[in-house]
Amino acid sequence: MSHIAVERNRRRQMNDHLKVLRSLTPCFYIKRGDQASVIGGVIEFIKELHQVLQSLEAQKQRKSLSPTPGTPSPRPLQLSPQIDNAPFGIDLNNNVTELGGACCNSPVADVEAKISGSNVNLRTVSRRIPGQVVKIINVLEKFSFEILHLNISSMEDTVLYSFVIKIGLECQLSVEELAIEVQKSFCSDQAYINNM
């Protein structure tokens, strides 16, 4: 086989593999059709799937540790110990001066908030609860956050909400307080979940 034929075959295989990757990845992960965008979108999708898998494994472990099968353990909210309670700081150049993240987990949901540049990445993993995403959006708007991007991934009865939010100038919450406030929106549905 000539070098040209080998190269043509390699390009054809690469394009076929990219088409398969594109078909397996939700369209909102892939911004453009070029190869770099497809691969970047697939990487983001795999990262989210990996996070869902870790959360499902954590839920499975919590269920195995609960006192009676099928009943969530009555443990309090758990906060990440390495988080500073200072509010988000915005300097005159609109740069975030605090860096960090917080986790707030309960038997109902896992909530994680991390600062990324001048934005916050907020992720929640829980059982599917009707209307929950609207409750989270209401919490974010109440505390002067602007939603830049929302991604929803679900697997069976578990759902992952991933938000990219902009910190408003009037915002006085720390990352830890944000995680707690979002967690509270889930806790109001504890009775609903127990009756399922």
Side-chain angles (χ1 to χ4, degrees):
M1 249 183 156
S2 73
H3 175 69
I4 294 172
V6 170
E7 181 63 21
R8 186 179 301 133
N9 187 34
R10 186 195 65 77
R11 268 192 255 127
R12 185 180 46 75
Q13 285 180 334
M14 182 71 105
N15 288 332
D16 290 344
H17 292 317
L18 284 170
K19 285 178 187 175
V20 171
L21 285 174
R22 184 181 294 158
S23 70
L24 294 173
T25 306
C27 61
F28 47 82
Y29 283 95
I30 301 173
K31 308 282 190 271
R32 297 181 308 272
D34 61 290
Q35 292 179 354
S37 295
V38 171
I39 292 170
V42 169
I43 289 169
E44 288 302 312
F45 183 56
I46 290 171
K47 285 180 182 177
E48 296 235 351
L49 290 176
H50 183 67
Q51 185 174 12
V52 169
L53 179 63
Q54 287 178 332
S55 296
L56 289 172
E57 288 172 350
Q59 286 179 355
K60 182 179 176 182
Q61 185 178 10
R62 281 197 304 266
K63 285 182 181 179
S64 69
L65 296 176
S66 65
T68 57
T71 308
S73 60
R75 64 187 178 130
L77 300 179
Q78 294 180 347
L79 300 175
S80 179
Q82 67 266 45
I83 304 307
D84 184 17
N85 281 328
F88 295 115
I90 308 285
D91 65 18
L92 295 176
N93 297 322
N94 287 332
N95 294 322
V96 177
T97 57
E98 175 194 271
L99 298 176
C103 293
C104 186
N105 300 331
S106 76
V108 181
D110 293 341
V111 178
E112 176 186 75
K114 288 184 180 177
I115 297 205
S116 175
S118 61
N119 299 324
V120 175
N121 292 329
L122 174 70
R123 295 174 187 233
T124 67
V125 177
S126 67
R127 291 178 64 181
R128 189 173 290 140
I129 303 169
Q132 183 60 44
V133 72
V134 175
K135 291 178 182 180
I136 296 170
I137 290 170
N138 287 337
V139 168
L140 296 175
E141 290 177 347
K142 174 183 172 184
F143 292 106
S144 301
F145 289 99
E146 179 184 338
I147 300 168
L148 301 176
H149 179 75
L150 167 60
N151 181 25
I152 302 172
S153 303
S154 63
M155 185 181 293
E156 295 180 11
D157 68 335
T158 301
V159 65
L160 165 69
Y161 298 118
S162 297
F163 293 86
V164 177
I165 53 180
K166 183 177 179 182
I167 305 165
L169 293 175
E170 303 84 32
C171 180
Q172 296 298 313
L173 288 184
S174 68
V175 184
E176 185 178 71
E177 291 166 334
L178 171 62
I180 291 171
E181 290 298 328
V182 172
Q183 182 65 251
K184 286 180 186 176
S185 75
F186 283 95
C187 293
S188 64
D189 290 316
Q190 180 67 46
Y192 171 82
I193 290 171
N194 288 338
N195 292 330
M196 285 184 70

